[in-house]
Amino acid sequence: MSSKKIATAKIALIFGISGQDGAYLAQLLLNHGYLVHGTSRDKEITSFANLHHLNLFPSITLHSAVLTDFRSVIEVIQHVQPDEIYNLAGQSSVALSFDQPVDTINGGIVGTLNILEAIRFLKIETRFYNAASSECYGNTEAGPATEATPFQPRSPYGVGKAAAFWAVANYRAAYGLYACSGILFNHESPLRPARYVTQKIVRGALDIADNKYQKLTLGTLSIARDWGWAPDYVDAMARMLQSSSPEDLIIATGETHTLEEFVKKVFSKVNLQWENHIEINKTLQRPSDIYYSAANPGRAREVLDWSAETKFDSLVSRLIEAELERRRFAG
Ligand code: NDP
C-alpha cells in the first residue's frame, strides 16, 4: 500500500536527506507533523551521520535512489506519493566541480530533469523545490543580486545549477507544475564537512589555539560572500512550497563579508591574532572564482515573510561553539 493511503499527515520526500540541508529540513518538517521520506544513493552503506547527530534517524523512511537514474527516481516518487518533493541531492562542492565537471553538471541538470519528468509522467499532485545557488550569478559587483539579475556562472557547479534552474522554470511554464528554485547563498552549520572553507577556518583556529600547529593555509582572503545559518534557510525552503503560487526566490542574509573578515572574527573569538597564523598559497585558488557575491533577499521577505535570523557575528559564534562541543563529546 502506498504511504498516501494510510496517512493523513502531509508527506515530504527529500532527495539528498543525508546532507546538511537534508537533515535540517527533515528536522523542521518532522516538527511540523510531516511524514518524512528521504533518499540516498545507497541507503545500505550511507552512514546518515547528520540524521543520527540530530536524533532523527528512527523517524525517517529511507530509500535508495540515484537522481541520474530515471527508473529509481520514478519508482521512489510513485511509491511515496509525496505532497512535497525537495531536491537537495548532488555534488555540492564548487571546488570539486573543477575536478569533476561532467559528473557535477550532468548530475545537476539530468537529476533535476528526472524529477520533473517523473512528476509530469505520473501526473501526481505534488509541489517541487529545487536547490539552485548563488553560484548561478557569478560576480555581483554591479550591486546585490535580485531575482532579475542575469546568470553568469564561474564554475562547473554554477553551470549545472543554472541549467537546472531553467529546466524548473520551463516545466512550470510549459506544464503548470508547482515547481520553484531557491537561489540560496552560502549557508553554514556544524554539519558542513571539513573541506568547506568556513569549517576549515573554525577547526584550524581551534587547533592553533590548542597548539596543535601554528599556521593555517588558505588560497585567498579577498573573496566576499553572503554567509547564513543553514537551519534558517531550510525554513525558507519549506515556506516556498506553502505559497499560493510557485516563485523562484533568493534566500540570503543581505550582508556580504570578505573571507578576511571571517578569519579575523573567528581568530579574535578564540583570542588569537590572525595575522600570525594565516599563510596564503595561491595554488589553492580555483581556476575561476567569484570575487564578490552579494544578494538582496527583499522579495523573500515580501512573499514568504522570511528573513535570516542568524547574521555574521552570531553565525561565527555558533560555528565555534558547535565545534568546541563536538571536541568535548569526542574527548
Ligand atoms: P551536501 O553535500 O551536504 O548534501 C548533498 C547530498 O547529495 C549528499 O548528502 C549526498 O547524499 C548527495 N551527493 C553527494 N555527491 C553526489 C553526487 N556526485 N551525485 C549525486 N548525489 C550526490 O549539500 P547541502 O546539504 O549543503 O546542500 C543541499 C543542496 O543545496 C545541494 O544541491 C547544494 O548544491 C545546494 N546549495 C547549497 C548551499 C550551501 O551553502 N550549503 C548553497 C546553495 C545551494 P548521498 O551520499 O546520501 O547520496
Side-chain angles (χ1 to χ4, degrees), residues 91-113:
Q91 197 298 93
S92 70
S93 162
V94 177
L96 188 62
S97 80
F98 286 97
D99 298 327
Q100 299 178 358
V102 177
D103 180 61
T104 306
I105 294 177
N106 191 49
I109 179 61
V110 175
T112 308
L113 264 178

Side-chain angles (χ1 to χ4, degrees), residues 72-233:
S72 72
V73 172
I74 199 165
E75 275 198 353
V76 72
I77 294 177
Q78 184 167 36
H79 176 71
V80 174
Q81 294 280 311
D83 298 289
E84 296 174 12
I85 299 175
Y86 296 85
N87 175 19
L88 308 180
Q91 197 298 93
S92 70
S93 162
V94 177
L96 188 62
S97 80
F98 286 97
D99 298 327
Q100 299 178 358
V102 177
D103 180 61
T104 306
I105 294 177
N106 191 49
I109 179 61
V110 175
T112 308
L113 264 178
N114 277 341
I115 298 176
L116 290 164
E117 270 300 312
I119 295 171
R120 187 180 154 218
F121 184 78
L122 294 170
K123 297 188 175 64
I124 59 163
E125 252 188 59
T126 192
R127 293 183 168 206
F128 176 49
Y129 170 90
N130 177 58
S133 163
S134 53
E135 288 285 325
C136 295
Y137 290 118
N139 284 309
T140 58
E141 278 141 341
T146 70
E147 287 77 4
T149 302
F151 288 170
Q152 294 186 48
R154 288 178 57 78
S155 63
Y157 171 87
V159 171
K161 287 291 187 192
F165 173 94
W166 286 117
V168 171
N170 178 243
Y171 273 61
R172 183 172 63 228
Y175 308 114
L177 302 188
Y178 191 113
C180 51
S181 295
I183 312 167
L184 272 61
F185 281 61
N186 295 52
H187 45 282
E188 312 301 312
S189 82
L191 304 189
R192 273 285 217 197
R195 72 139 73 102
Y196 289 88
V197 73
T198 46
Q199 280 298 330
K200 186 175 172 181
I201 293 164
V202 168
R203 292 175 197 210
L206 289 174
D207 284 344
I208 291 169
D210 278 350
N211 274 320
K212 290 191 181 146
Y213 47 84
Q214 284 307 304
K215 297 279 184 195
L216 177 66
T217 309
L218 299 171
T220 176
L221 288 174
S222 59
I223 56 150
R225 295 286 185 273
D226 181 319
W227 281 289
W229 176 241
D232 286 350
Y233 285 44

Side-chain angles (χ1 to χ4, degrees), residues 261-331:
E261 287 174 83
F262 189 91
V263 165
K264 208 169 177 174
K265 184 74 81 182
V266 171
F267 276 71
S268 80
K269 281 182 189 283
V270 300
N271 300 316
L272 290 170
Q273 195 65 35
W274 71 274
E275 294 93 332
N276 298 335
H277 301 288
I278 296 293
E279 61 187 13
I280 299 298
N281 178 349
K282 288 191 174 168
T283 64
L284 296 178
Q285 290 179 5
R286 295 168 186 170
S288 57
D289 203 350
I290 296 176
Y291 303 113
Y292 189 79
S293 178
N296 176 354
R299 183 71 187 148
R301 198 173 321 124
E302 218 173 282
V303 176
L304 308 177
D305 191 24
W306 179 91
S307 56
E309 280 179 20
T310 304
K311 297 284 181 72
F312 189 63
D313 186 70
S314 40
L315 169 71
V316 171
S317 298
R318 284 179 150 192
L319 293 175
I320 294 171
E321 279 158 24
E323 179 58 17
L324 284 170
E325 174 80 17
R326 189 183 71 80
R327 289 172 185 220
R328 272 195 294 274
F329 190 69

